[in-house]
Amino acid sequence: MPCMTDVVLPCLNEAPALPWLLARLPVGFRAIVVDNGSTDGSADIARAHGARVVSVPQPGYGAAVHAGLIAADPADDVVCVMDADGSFDPCELTRFADLVREDVADLVVGRRRPTTWNSWPAHARAGNAILARSVRRTTGLSVHDIGPIRAARRADLLGLGLRDRRFGYPLELLVAAGRAGWRVTELDVAYLPRTVGTKSKVTGSFRGTARAIRDMRAVLTQ
């Protein structure tokens, strides 16, 4: 049987983005939409487009990602994680998963390259740059983004024992991977304007960005 790759898609009110996103998953990739309390019918739309849906009542990005990893098939080994708001083209996932399967890297993360001026607001980009610099100083990893798209082996991710269930999860992952001596590769990835009708829980407002930075700074002080 050919290898399958589960794709964990944390989801909170992403109904407008899901049809396009799920239709563009490459052959051999299987969607796990982790519904984190959507009220716009996201779960039903995901099922209608062939995705497996996992409902997670505990709020938070980290809670959704962790539940998706638990739900992923252990036999498939490699798992990807990507935002479900249409800001990334799922076709990019092949590059990420291949580097892990070929044992070139233990963790592959995306470095966002905005395709339009409004893809990534200035306040969010500045906060991300500050946090990425802290990661480089703390871990020695050559990363420039706390990106929401990545690939790794499922067992390895669970083995890190990450505890953050909020916005600090991506940062905790990088810090833990660096301390564990993982080979981390960063790939440039096009960052698209999110689908009309969706709103970023982080970059969509100064409050959301501030909350995410707070959660991530808490990780750095542990």
Side-chain angles (χ1 to χ4, degrees):
M1 294 291 292
C3 290
M4 293 292 293
T5 303
D6 281 325
V7 182
V8 175
L9 298 162
C11 176
L12 176 57
N13 294 329
E14 313 288 9
L18 289 173
W20 175 84
L21 186 150
L22 295 173
R24 288 187 63 80
L25 280 177
V27 175
F29 286 74
R30 179 173 50 204
I32 300 176
V33 173
V34 185
D35 187 55
N36 204 202
S38 297
T39 58
D40 66 348
S42 289
D44 291 337
I45 291 173
R47 291 189 188 95
H49 287 79
R52 178 183 177 189
V53 175
V54 176
S55 296
V56 180
Q58 180 184 358
Y61 176 84
V65 173
H66 182 70
L69 292 177
I70 296 297
D73 188 344
D76 296 339
D77 195 19
V78 176
V79 64
C80 297
V81 178
M82 185 179 71
D83 278 0
D85 60 9
S87 56
F88 296 107
D89 187 338
C91 291
E92 300 270 15
L93 293 173
T94 301
R95 296 190 297 138
F96 285 72
D98 283 351
L99 289 179
V100 179
R101 290 199 186 281
E102 294 165 4
D103 200 30
V104 174
D106 301 306
L107 172 66
V108 183
V109 295
R111 182 179 186 180
R112 286 170 283 187
R113 298 297 191 178
T115 59
T116 64
W117 68 269
N118 61 341
S119 297
W120 197 0
H123 63 274
R125 195 181 309 191
N128 181 81
I130 292 170
L131 290 167
R133 184 166 61 245
S134 296
V135 171
R136 292 195 297 274
R137 290 175 176 172
T138 300
T139 67
L141 296 177
S142 181
V143 295
H144 304 81
D145 194 355
I146 314 299
I149 179 171
R150 66 193 77 95
R153 298 190 185 278
R154 175 183 180 274
D156 291 346
L157 288 171
L158 292 174
L160 287 176
L162 303 183
R163 295 177 295 173
D164 194 286
R165 295 295 180 261
R166 295 175 61 85
F167 290 119
Y169 182 95
L171 183 62
E172 185 184 11
L173 170 59
L174 287 175
V175 171
R179 290 172 177 168
W182 283 21
R183 298 164 299 166
V184 178
T185 297
E186 188 175 65
L187 297 180
D188 285 354
V189 59
Y191 195 42
L192 312 171
R194 63 185 42 82
T195 302
V196 175
T198 67
K199 182 179 179 180
S200 172
K201 289 70 188 173
V202 176
T203 64
S205 68
F206 286 100
R207 181 180 178 183
T209 300
R211 183 173 55 187
I213 292 174
R214 179 198 63 199
D215 289 350
M216 292 183 180
R217 280 180 172 168
V219 170
L220 291 173
T221 61
Q222 293 177 1

